[in-house]
C-alpha cells in the first residue's frame, strides 16, 4: 500500500528564528500589524510504499532523523495519511 | 484574541521540485528505498491578534498572497487554531 507522510519540521521553540523575524518585519511593513510572531519551518511530503501505517510511520521517522531534520535545532511531527 | 495560523506553502503539483528530487536521491542512498516521491515546501506559523477566527483567516490569507507564497509556483493552505 502507498501512504503519504506529511512531515513538519520546525525550529525548536527556544531558538531564535532569524528567517521568521525577517518575514515579520516584512509583514509589518505591508501594514499587517496584527501579526506578532512568525516561525518558519519545512513541510515535507513523502510517498511511502509500506505494508502498514505503522511501518510507514517508522520509515518517515527514520528519514527525518537521518536526513530531513537536524535534532539539535529542529523538531519534527509526522502525520501519515 | 490571539490565534495561531499554520500556513502550508507547497510547490504546485505540475511543477518539478528539484529540492525534493535531491532529497529523494539522498534517502535512497541511505537505503530507504520504499520512498518514491518527495515534495518540499514551507510551513509558516503566525501569531495573529484578531477579533474572530474569520478575521485571523483573512489576515493570514492576505499575508500569504502578499509575501509568503508565490502564486505562480506555489499553493497555500491555512489552518487557524
Amino acid at each position: 500500500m502507498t501512504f503519504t507522510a506529511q512531515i513538519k519540521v520546525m525550529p525548536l521553540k527556544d531558538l531564535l528564528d532569524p528567517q521568521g523575524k525577517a518575514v515579520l518585519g516584512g509583514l509589518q511593513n505591508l501594514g499587517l500589524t496584527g501579526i506578532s510572531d512568525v516561525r518558519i519551518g519545512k513541510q515535507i511530503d513523502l510517498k511511502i510504499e509500506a505494508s502498514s501505517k505503522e511501518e510507514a510511520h517508522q520509515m518517515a521517522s527514520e528519514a527525518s532523523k537521518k536526513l530531513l531534520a537536524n535534532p539539535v535545532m529542529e523538531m519534527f511531527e509526522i502525520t501519515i495519511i
Side-chain angles (χ1 to χ4, degrees), chain A residues 1-69:
Chain A
M1 280 171 74
T2 306
F3 296 91
T4 300
Q6 299 187 330
I7 305 171
K8 180 181 166 181
V9 180
M10 296 299 287
L12 290 173
K13 284 209 179 80
D14 300 332
L15 293 180
L16 286 175
D17 177 9
Q19 195 186 358
K21 218 161 189 183
V23 167
L24 178 61
L27 289 170
Q28 287 175 341
N29 285 342
L30 286 171
L32 292 159
T33 48
I35 297 170
S36 59
D37 188 39
V38 181
R39 292 190 80 78
I40 299 187
K42 285 175 288 186
Q43 172 77 33
I44 303 156
D45 289 0
L46 305 177
K47 275 217 181 90
I48 301 181
E49 191 63 41
S51 55
S52 68
K53 213 169 169 172
E54 286 69 35
E55 196 192 333
H57 193 284
Q58 210 194 321
M59 283 172 73
S61 171
E62 197 182 339
S64 302
K65 282 180 200 152
K66 284 191 178 167
L67 188 71
L68 304 174

